[in-house]
């Protein structure tokens, strides 16, 4: 495993390409989610029912992490998992199918959008705030005991960093020098509660000192800085030097979940201008790496891939209600 | 610490409903509002209870009325803020704490069952914990295995806390009033499907007549929601409405169904259950919680103990010990739907 | 991640016990030792499982035999290390994790019931969590309300985990072997009073014959601990021995008691229960867990559903919904003692 | 409330007197506990059955805290609570009676030694590691809302500082500036697990930075340093400046619980010489504040008080087994 510390032009374009792919996916889910919920929004109606937490604005985090991971590495995500799943290489068709509740989905429609499990790439998520962190320790433990240099990345929101599980997981990972990278996505909000009303310190990076591990905060949702910070943390973990904590100041571009009117949100007006994709597009354009045609091409490729996944999902069979009790236990799984 | 019973004005029990209609969510906030006006020791705390007004609208408007000193948004730290509620209650305050979804009990259960519920006993009655822990329960809108559970059986199994579960606005207000005024810890579980939310499929009875003044629905008393002679459905929460719908439908075929709305799980109104089944001889328990080792078994056991030889039929319609599936078709295959209830009743009267 | 079933050598089921005797604690460690030798993916983790050997001796000697890489003391961080077990199991390891007292489930229940128990279902069967969570249960030695509970009903109510509860050394070894080899998460609860500890009052049957070789006691199969025709006692764990003692005593008076040792709570061997009660017509459930909304109700409900009109007597001897009191006289007033069991059986055959 | 920053000779003698009183109590319980458990130790036998966690060696912590608190202040303790209860002014007769499981006990025999509640002095404890901390926040909250300057002290062991509840409680207390003083008793061990195997940092004082509050570590079980550190924290809390975290390096002189053979404990040999009572006695003697007669007198007064409490306990009635179900709910409490 070579460790790279400078981004080539191709790497930079790859970061943007990943961000565009993620946004394209989230926009497609947004469209599909709302397509059949009117008149009068009904959360349980339509082809994609249930709570829907989209990650538009948080693409830089996913792209910056994903660039460092291989197929053998693990990732655990939260209730807002799509961007991370895509960047980690989760099968997009199966993921879309799961979101549409189909038998071809990652969890045969049993899990849903907050419960995506792709064992091929060691991807999991959890709908319980911060409780996705501890299992990542176990994946890292298994990798460590097997003598590999594989790592686990555990992602949580800034709201989650005030849960007990966060503290326990960081202490144990630090104590056993587990190859885990903890990434906190600080998008300023835990539903309607601003960071200032949930967290007693301005940066979670300082909490790393409570475990004797390195802590970094990346400002401005800057994808290249995220890439660099994660790169160093992954290097450390692979080298057996133990866990790191990285907090990224990112952006929740949309509501907490779809249907959230965000009446509480004073920062909403300014948000569109803070969108990281046009920002990074401009950055690469100014640097002469990207032109308009290439960017259009990125979007088109992303659309093709995403629409293929959506089409696959929509054309897949629904699970048979008669099979609702299958998969509680492994015996039940043998059909 | 709170050692002496507080003197409280006696409120009417279950007055006439009157004509004014409220949603269940509004009935809950009205009860909280009235108690907050009467008693400055009452405060509300939880995630998104402030400007958001509660994810399921259980606290809408309270912040405007009482300000951030008494309606308090918390970090996502259930153990800390439920524990804070306990300590405040021990010192004589009367916290109403919201756990956003009952499914999250696993991150804070020690405070709930080892502390909130046991301190009164461990102290030999010297310390009281007059606290309400309210939480949203139930599925039916594809929220998956970690956001769709009922779990009242889990709390009911563990001693020291009362557990109430309203099915309609009238009971929701009266039970909340009784819960806040109770000197015991009370778990108050509202099903999302009866709140009358604009953004979720709701039972038409989610909006109903509610008296304007404060009143109590007594904790531990079931209600005969419909009288009948052929078979007793014992149920609670949203399932009451499905059961009533089925009863209406079958009435036209001459099947006369009695529906008991438990309203409280702890204390369980065993008398009301036994009286009903003693009359009909047939029992169908309808419960959206997991089937085994919970409420439905307890109701059946209660009847079997009281009437060992006198039962013509016993069955239950509950979630069959499976995590709640995401896909709608799967979820509705495991929920206690009207179709499943109807089939059970038909079987009961046939057998 | 662990996606394919591991191929395992078939072990004998319930072989002859032989003549060698072990305490329950030693039987458990022998099962773990044997599986650790056969399968390098098995490891043990928990508080004080290393040099101390487990507070209730469930891991004594393992550290010396397998070293600190496979027998691992943890910080007091149950959420973190149970979660670690889950992640390791997902990656194909087979952790045996000890939660020191089952009473502590409240600090880590989310990992247990929302993760360990649900991942397999949520993943549509694609991810397995082959993990054993073992824990000490039970009272009788004045350890108070937070260290004396059984709580198997709490786990059993929630889907996705198996729950086993041995009553003797033979079953303890066979069930632990089966639990470690199971591809499902298994909660393994041992009562402190059957471990055969030198420092606690123990039932004489805490030491018993155990085969030397590895074998399985199948999960989900009850055992007829004593055949009888007049009344069925359905029970588990330490209460099996109290029930057998009562049965012996009453035999001299011509009362013929059948004792069913459930051994597993999930899956519950409903067939065995119904077969026994179908024969005797009288049921006494004896359970050291809290009475309501738990195992005892489920057993009665099972019988009432299967034999609605065919019951001559139903009752239960359990902890009557009270936190376990500290003072010995109070504690023994709420535990299912031989005296309470005897009274219940006499009433059953009289009625 | 005046704040005092220098110890007078009388204050110093009071600290020692409290330490002696506590030790005398713990020795008496030790004696009573083992008196009727042989032949062959049976944990459930005798007048004082059950687990017994004694605090010999940890007296300086209790004395140093207790000196700053008034009757209106609250304290929450752990499974090892006697020293703290005594220093906080819990009624010793009722406490002894509770340990003996009598109807005259603090909890009428329902609670036991890990569950001592004395509402008169706002004292509680819990047998669940770290879970005694959150309720202390609520007591502090009630005091704060009532506009008083009363404070709550929440005590936990160094093992407990790795529990999620520790993290959540500190963050919330810091965020809401609650008048709480968190005291960690670092006695090197969590049962058989040494601090190095449980905690990723050498001092829990550094963890205070994770919440933006002051953190101090007091070394050598030094009662005057503890007194000073707690004094400053109490002053802050009373002044509305919020919580503090203090870790004390103390000493578990005996086993984790009675019956613990401590085979795992390499530091056992050195322990007796580290006993804080002779150390402080010598310190005060060297300083000319104390003479042998005064020390003997302290011991005698302590004995009188403790033996009176034990005698009260032993002569008190046992609870009536018929009342076992009383006090589950408040209605049941009205006899
Ligand atoms: C233990 C727990 N408490 C509360 C919730 C409800 N909830 C879901 S997401 C959320 C906010 C999470 O905020 P943050 O961690 O910042 O993540 P973000 O949503 O901003 O991505 C809350 C409170 C939950 N799922 N789990
Ligand atoms: C949540 C929880 N886990 C485990 C235990 C068992 N236990 C009781 S005391 C103890 C050690 C506590 O160590 P520490 O916090 O350092 O306190 P000390 O005993 O040293 O005073 C443990 C593990 C418990 N009571 N609660
Ligand atoms: Mg956030
Ligand atoms: Mg310690």
């Amino acid at each position: 495993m070579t460790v790279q510390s400078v981004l080539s032009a191709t790497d930079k374009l790859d970061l943007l390409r990943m961000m565009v792919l993620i946004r394209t996916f989230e926009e497609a889910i947004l469209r599909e989610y709302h397509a059949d919920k009117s008149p009068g929004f009904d959360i349980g109606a339509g082809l994609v029912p249930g709570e829907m937490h989209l990650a538009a604005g948080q693409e830089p985090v996913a792209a910056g992490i994903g660039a460092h991971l291989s197929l053998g590495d693990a990732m655990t995500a939260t209730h807002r998992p799509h961007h991370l799943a895509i960047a980690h290489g989760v099968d997009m068709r199966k993921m879309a199918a799961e979101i549409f509740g189909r038998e071809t989905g990652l969890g045969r429609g049993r899990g849903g959008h907050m419960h995506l499990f792709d064992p091929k790439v060691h991807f999991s998520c959890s709908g319980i705030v911060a409780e996705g962190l501890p299992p990542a320790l176990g994946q890292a433990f298994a990798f460590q005991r097997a003598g590999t240099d594989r790592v686990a990345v555990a992602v949580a929101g800034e709201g989650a960093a005030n849960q007990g599980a966060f503290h326990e997981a960081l202490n144990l990972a630090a104590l056993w020098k587990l190859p885990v990278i903890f990434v906190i996505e600080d998008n300023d909000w835990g539903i309607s509660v601003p960071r200032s009303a949930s967290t007693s310190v301005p940066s979670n990076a300082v909490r790393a000192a409570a475990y004797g591990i390195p802590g970094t905060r990346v400002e401005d949702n800057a994808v290249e800085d995220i890439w660099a910070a994660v790169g160093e943390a992954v290097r450390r973990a692979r080298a057996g030097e133990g866990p790191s904590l990285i907090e990224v100041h990112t952006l929740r571009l949309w509501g907490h979940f779809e249907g959230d009117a965000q009446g509480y949100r004073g920062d909403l007006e300014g948000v569109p201008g803070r969108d990281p994709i046009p920002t990074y597009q401009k950055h690469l354009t100014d640097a002469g790496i990207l032109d308009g045609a290439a960017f259009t091409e990125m979007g088109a490729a992303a659309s093709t891939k995403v629409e293929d996944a959506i089409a696959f999902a929509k054309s897949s069979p629904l699970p048979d209600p008669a099979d609702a009790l299958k998969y509680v236990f492994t015996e039940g799984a043998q059909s | 610490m709170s050692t002496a019973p507080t003197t409280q004005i006696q409120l009417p029990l279950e007055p006439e409903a009157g004509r004014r209609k409220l949603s269940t969510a509004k009935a809950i906030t009205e009860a909280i509002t009235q108690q907050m006006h009467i008693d400055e020791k009452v405060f509300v705390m939880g995630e998104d209870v402030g400007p958001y007004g509660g994810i399921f609208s259980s606290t809408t408007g309270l912040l405007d009325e009482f300000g951030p000193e008494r309606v308090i948004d918390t970090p996502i730290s259930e153990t800390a803020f439920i524990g804070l509620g306990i300590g405040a209650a021990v010192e004589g305050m009367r916290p109403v704490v919201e756990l956003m979804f009952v499914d999250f009990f696993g991150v804070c259960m020690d405070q709930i069952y080892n502390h909130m519920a046991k301190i009164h006993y461990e102290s030999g009655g010297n310390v009281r914990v007059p606290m309400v822990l309210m939480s949203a329960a139930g599925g039916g809108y594809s929220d998956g295995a970690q956001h769709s559970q009922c779990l009242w059986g889990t709390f009911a199994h563990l001693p020291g806390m009362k557990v109430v579960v309203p099915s309609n606005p009238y009971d929701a207000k009266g039970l909340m009033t009784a819960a806040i005024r109770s000197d015991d810890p009370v778990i108050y579980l509202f099903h999302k499907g009866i709140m009358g939310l604009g953004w979720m499929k709701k039972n038409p009875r989610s909006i109903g007549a509610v008296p304007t003044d404060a009143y109590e629905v007594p904790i531990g008393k079931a209600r005969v929601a419909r009288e009948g002679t052929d078979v007793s459905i014992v149920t609670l929460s949203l399932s009451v409405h499905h059961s009533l719908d089925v009863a209406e439908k079958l009435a036209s075929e001459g099947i006369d169904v009695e529906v008991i709305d438990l309203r409280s799980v702890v204390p369980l109104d065993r008398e009301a259950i036994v009286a009903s089944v003693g009359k009909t001889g047939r029992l169908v328990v309808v419960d959206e919680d997991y089937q085994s080792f919970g409420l439905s078994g307890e109701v059946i056991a209660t009847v079997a103990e009281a009437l060992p030889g006198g039962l013509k039929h016993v069955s239950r319609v509950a979630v069959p010990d499976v995590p709640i599936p995401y896909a709608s078709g799967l979820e509705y295959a495991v929920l206690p739907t009207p179709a499943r209830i109807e089939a059970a009743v038909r079987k009961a009267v046939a057998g």
Side-chain angles (χ1 to χ4, degrees), chain A residues 120-287:
Chain A
K120 285 218 188 66
V121 295
H122 308 268
F123 184 87
S124 322
C125 49
S126 168
I128 309 296
V129 162
E131 295 280 328
L133 304 179
L137 268 56
Q139 299 182 291
F141 177 89
F143 299 162
Q144 187 190 60
R145 291 299 158 110
T148 71
D149 71 350
R150 294 157 61 190
V151 304
V153 177
V155 182
E158 93 295 338
N162 302 307
Q163 267 283 345
F166 168 88
H167 175 66
E168 294 191 15
L170 267 83
N171 181 61
L172 191 56
L175 193 68
W176 294 358
K177 277 195 180 300
L178 296 174
V180 187
I181 297 93
F182 296 98
V183 179
I184 302 296
E185 296 184 289
D186 175 9
N187 61 7
D188 292 328
W189 296 95
I191 310 187
S192 72
V193 178
R195 184 197 172 98
S196 60
S198 73
T199 311
S200 54
V201 285
S203 162
N204 273 305
V206 306
R207 292 186 167 171
Y211 315 101
I213 63 171
T216 321
R217 182 169 159 101
V218 178
E219 294 296 348
D220 294 327
N221 216 3
V223 65
E224 295 188 8
D225 295 350
I226 298 166
W227 178 89
V230 174
E232 167 56 13
V234 168
R235 183 203 62 70
R236 272 181 63 86
R238 293 204 199 284
E241 294 166 27
S244 307
L245 174 65
I246 298 166
E247 180 166 67
V248 178
H249 194 190
T250 185
L251 171 71
R252 201 186 80 199
L253 203 53
W254 302 339
H256 169 71
F257 39 33
E258 289 313 306
D260 176 4
Q262 301 196 74
Y264 54 81
R265 190 163 175 185
D267 66 344
L268 202 53
E269 304 249 303
V271 162
R274 287 160 54 208
D275 187 332
I277 293 184
T279 304
Y280 196 51
Q281 176 201 352
K282 177 162 186 307
H283 177 82
L284 296 191
T285 308
D286 291 353

Side-chain angles (χ1 to χ4, degrees), chain B residues 20-28 30 169 173 206-211:
Chain B
R20 187 190 61 139
K21 293 200 168 187
L22 291 182
S23 69
T24 301
K26 290 221 172 84
I28 291 173
E30 185 167 281
K173 179 174 172 183
S206 309
I207 298 182
V210 177

Side-chain angles (χ1 to χ4, degrees), chain B residues 23-25 191-200 202-203 206-207:
Chain B
S23 69
T24 301
H191 195 293
K192 301 151 202 168
I194 60 144
M195 291 295 269
L197 304 170
W199 45 275
M200 191 180 283
K202 55 186 165 291
N203 191 283
S206 309
I207 298 182

Side-chain angles (χ1 to χ4, degrees), chain B residues 1 3 43 45 69-70 72-75 77-81 83-84 87-88 90-91 93 110-111 114-115 119-128 160-162 183-184 266:
Chain B
M1 298 194 190
T3 57
F43 69 98
M45 182 174 54
E69 293 280 300
R70 294 182 69 195
I72 311 168
D73 271 345
T74 63
S77 306
E78 288 85 357
T79 288
F81 72 75
L84 191 152
V90 159
E91 294 297 337
M93 298 187 78
D110 189 72
Q111 287 297 323
N114 262 337
H115 293 83
I119 286 175
H120 183 260
Y121 188 83
E122 290 170 337
S123 73
N126 288 319
V127 180
R128 288 163 185 241
M161 46 195 157
K162 300 192 166 170
D183 284 331
D184 296 312
V266 177

